[in-house]
């Protein structure tokens, strides 16, 4: 009897141990769950930030690069600059960004000695004309201001992103015949021949032209222009600039 | 306590002051620039040649533009007053024309590297005239650069600035 009881106690103990181990093992295994899932096809959303951009145009072509060169196509190929001739030299702006903008161009004329060094010679000897139908010109109003070297032009209309550039701001350039006033002559006679050499004080100098274009967003236009350009503008209902203060 | 009140007062003042500062706004802007130069070339050199035959009966004058710009030229013949003043010979080029101011004008621009056609001054009658002792025939030459109108066409010898202001440079 005792031996039998001993045997059954042992069996129970073993069974309980196995059960305990099994319970421990199952407890550490995560239950497999089946959940209902569903998914749609891949959806892609593209978005881009708007950019503002502006470039200069010269004689109908948009100037590219960081510091493009002006005046290279003003003279027909094979010819040299002729004093007194009014050359077509149109400078304007093009919208290269993705938002509408207001633009202004600052143009500066001067003389150099043929290198990059500016010289003291009246800039009024470089004559220029502007398109006052489409631009507001600041700096060339009165006769007394004719010797101004710098003029600022504000395009009246907002410039859209449709690809059309502005109308030309600067329309032509001409070097005045007054350059011929400053002259000296030398005569050298040998036999029946006399050689007369005419020299001009301003032979070899160069006409210089700089153009800067600025653009600013059309949204909140009045404050944006005042902040960016420091000018108080008057706008009409279509957003055209009608006055500069 | 006093110090605490002072600090609180300063903080309050700073808060009030900062409330009046307009908020900083950033606007979209862009900028591009370009520059260029073009050289001006002025000046010319002309060569006047007078051919005189051994009998001095005429002067053959031609002018060549050696370098620089095209020029208009004119010539005046100066001699002592006489009934038979030197004059343009018939065999002269038709491109020389004399106007009422006493000058002979070449009617075309003299381009660089080219000579004018000859102006022949007939001095025979003058030299043989009995009414003068002085037999000098002096030729005075003038040349001016060709000037252009706005559209690039030449202004013509009649409109050239023959008497324009000249400031001699030293």
């Amino acid at each position: 009897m005792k031996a039998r009881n001993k045997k059954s106690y042992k069996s129970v103990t073993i069974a309980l141990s196995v059960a305990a181990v099994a319970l421990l093992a199952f407890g550490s295994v995560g239950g497999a769950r089946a959940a209902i899932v569903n998914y749609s096809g891949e959806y892609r959303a593209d978005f881009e930030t708007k950019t503002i951009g502006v470039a200069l145009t010269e004689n109908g072509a948009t100037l590219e690069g960081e510091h493009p060169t002006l005046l290279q196509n003003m003279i027909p190929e094979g010819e040299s600059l002729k004093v007194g001739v009014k050359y077509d030299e149109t400078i304007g702006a093009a919208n290269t960004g993705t938002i509408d903008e207001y633009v202004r161009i600052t143009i500066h004329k001067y003389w150099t000695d043929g290198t990059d060094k500016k010289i003291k010679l009246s800039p009024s000897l470089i004559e220029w004309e502007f398109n006052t139908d489409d631009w507001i010109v600041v700096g060339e109003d009165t006769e007394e201001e004719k010797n101004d070297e710098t003029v600022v032009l504000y395009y009246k209309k907002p410039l859209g992103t449709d690809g059309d550039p502005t109308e030309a701001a600067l329309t032509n350039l001409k070097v005045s015949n007054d350059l011929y006033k400053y002259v000296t002559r030398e005569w050298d006679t040998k036999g029946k021949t006399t050689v007369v050499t005419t020299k001009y004080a301003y032979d070899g100098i160069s006409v210089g032209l700089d153009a800067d274009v600025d653009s600013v967003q059309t949204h909140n236009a009045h404050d944006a222009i005042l902040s960016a350009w420091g000018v108080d503008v008057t706008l009409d209902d279509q957003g055209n600039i009608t006055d500069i203060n | 306590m006093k110090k605490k009140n002072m600090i609180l007062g300063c903080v309050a003042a700073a808060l009030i002051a900062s409330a009046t500062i307009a908020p900083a706004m950033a606007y979209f802007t862009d900028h591009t620039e370009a520059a260029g130069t073009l050289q001006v070339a002025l000046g010319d050199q002309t060569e006047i040649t007078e051919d005189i035959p051994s009998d001095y009966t005429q002067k053959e004058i031609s002018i060549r533009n050696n370098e620089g710009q095209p020029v208009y030229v004119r010539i005046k013949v100066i001699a002592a007053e006489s009934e038979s003043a030197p004059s343009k010979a018939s065999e002269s080029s038709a491109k020389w024309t004399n106007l009422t101011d006493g000058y002979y004008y070449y009617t075309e621009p003299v381009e660089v590297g080219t000579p004018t056609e000859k102006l022949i001054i007939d001095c025979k009658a003058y030299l043989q005239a009995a009414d003068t002792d002085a037999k000098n025939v002096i030729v005075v030459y003038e040349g001016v650069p060709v000037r252009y109108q706005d559209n690039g066409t030449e202004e013509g010898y009649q409109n050239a600035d023959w008497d324009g202001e000249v400031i001699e440079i030293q």
Side-chain angles (χ1 to χ4, degrees):
Chain A
M1 190 75 158
K2 240 190 190 173
R4 202 189 293 164
N5 285 344
K6 243 193 188 169
K7 246 191 188 171
S8 75
Y9 284 143
K10 219 180 182 177
S11 304
V12 169
T13 305
I14 290 171
L16 284 173
S17 300
V18 168
V21 167
L23 273 171
L24 260 172
F26 281 125
S28 62
V29 171
R33 291 171 186 265
I36 298 173
V37 295
N38 196 8
Y39 62 91
S40 68
E42 191 179 271
Y43 175 75
R44 180 175 149 171
D46 289 331
F47 69 95
E48 62 177 37
T49 53
K50 297 294 187 181
T51 60
I52 190 169
V54 71
L56 284 163
T57 63
E58 185 189 27
N59 296 328
T62 301
L63 300 178
E64 295 175 356
E66 265 196 50
H67 294 286
T69 306
L70 293 175
L71 302 179
Q72 301 312 295
N73 299 316
M74 189 175 94
I75 313 294
E77 202 169 324
E79 292 184 17
S80 56
L81 176 63
K82 289 179 183 165
V83 173
V85 175
K86 188 181 284 188
Y87 290 97
D88 288 333
E89 175 63 15
T90 59
I91 291 181
N95 188 337
T96 59
T98 55
I99 59 171
D100 293 356
E101 60 192 6
Y102 288 99
V103 298
R104 72 170 182 182
I105 296 178
T106 304
I107 307 181
H108 176 62
K109 61 175 179 176
Y110 52 92
W111 292 100
T112 73
D113 62 356
T115 64
D116 289 335
K117 190 179 167 193
K118 289 185 184 174
I119 61 172
K120 265 190 174 179
L121 179 61
S122 175
S124 65
L125 292 171
I126 305 167
E127 298 173 9
W128 55 9
E129 288 181 356
F130 304 108
N131 169 6
T132 54
D133 291 334
D134 300 295
W135 297 79
I136 296 175
V137 181
V138 177
E140 193 87 348
D141 278 339
T142 64
E143 203 60 37
E144 289 77 30
E145 290 181 63
K146 275 279 184 183
N147 282 333
D148 268 358
E149 291 187 348
T150 303
V151 159
V152 185
L153 303 105
Y154 295 83
Y155 198 52
K156 293 178 181 176
K157 296 183 287 193
L159 186 58
T161 56
D162 53 9
D164 292 334
T166 66
E167 301 296 327
L170 174 71
T171 56
N172 55 67
L173 278 181
K174 171 178 159 182
V175 175
S176 170
N177 282 313
D178 284 351
L179 270 189
Y180 284 123
K181 276 187 196 174
Y182 304 91
V183 63
T184 188
R185 286 197 172 93
E186 295 170 0
W187 287 265
D188 183 19
T189 300
K190 283 178 184 159
K192 61 181 182 178
T193 301
T194 299
V195 175
V196 180
T197 305
T198 306
K199 293 180 182 174
Y200 294 90
Y202 298 116
D203 177 34
I205 63 173
S206 292
V207 172
L209 197 73
D210 293 351
D212 292 10
V213 62
D214 299 300
S215 65
V216 67
Q217 65 187 50
T218 54
H219 184 67
N220 204 11
H222 181 272
D223 289 348
I225 291 171
L226 183 62
S227 174
W229 296 348
V231 292
D232 185 12
V233 299
T234 305
L235 302 167
D236 66 12
D237 294 336
Q238 283 77 46
N240 300 319
I241 300 174
T242 56
D243 197 14
I244 306 281
N245 302 311
Chain B
M1 190 67 180
K2 240 188 184 173
K3 202 174 177 183
K4 190 179 173 186
N5 286 342
M6 203 188 309
I7 292 168
L8 282 172
C10 289
V11 169
L15 278 171
I16 292 166
S18 66
T20 62
I21 296 171
M25 301 283 281
Y27 298 104
F28 284 111
T29 62
D30 195 24
H31 173 85
T32 299
E33 53 194 54
T37 58
L38 261 182
Q39 197 163 45
V40 175
L42 305 174
D44 58 82
Q45 187 187 77
T46 48
E47 188 177 305
I48 304 101
T49 303
E50 278 186 59
D51 282 316
I52 306 169
S54 54
D55 59 2
Y56 300 97
T57 53
Q58 62 184 18
K59 286 199 173 191
E60 293 182 7
I61 305 160
S62 72
I63 302 168
R64 181 187 173 84
N65 186 343
N66 287 340
E67 62 184 46
Q69 306 165 254
V71 292
Y72 286 118
V73 296
R74 68 179 185 179
I75 286 174
K76 193 166 195 174
V77 179
I78 299 173
E81 205 171 308
S82 164
E83 284 182 3
S84 304
S87 60
K88 177 181 160 189
S90 56
E91 55 267 38
S92 272
S93 165
K95 291 182 183 176
W96 288 98
T97 186
N98 51 321
L99 300 184
T100 55
D101 58 3
Y103 282 93
Y104 294 98
Y105 291 82
Y106 199 68
T107 54
E108 293 178 359
V110 185
E111 300 287 345
V112 175
T114 61
T116 64
E117 295 178 11
K118 286 190 180 176
L119 170 65
I120 301 173
I121 301 296
D122 186 353
C123 305
K124 191 172 180 182
Y126 173 73
L127 292 172
Q128 291 172 346
D131 63 339
T132 178
D133 294 326
K135 302 296 181 188
N136 281 332
V137 176
I138 298 168
V139 171
V140 173
Y141 151 82
E142 290 178 18
V144 292
V146 170
R147 296 202 184 184
Y148 302 91
Q149 298 173 31
D150 283 353
N151 60 6
T153 56
E154 294 146 0
E155 62 184 358
Y157 72 94
Q158 306 97 318
N159 301 318
D161 194 12
W162 297 104
D163 301 313
E165 180 188 357
V166 164
I167 300 172
E168 285 280 338
I169 53 173
Q170 304 302 321

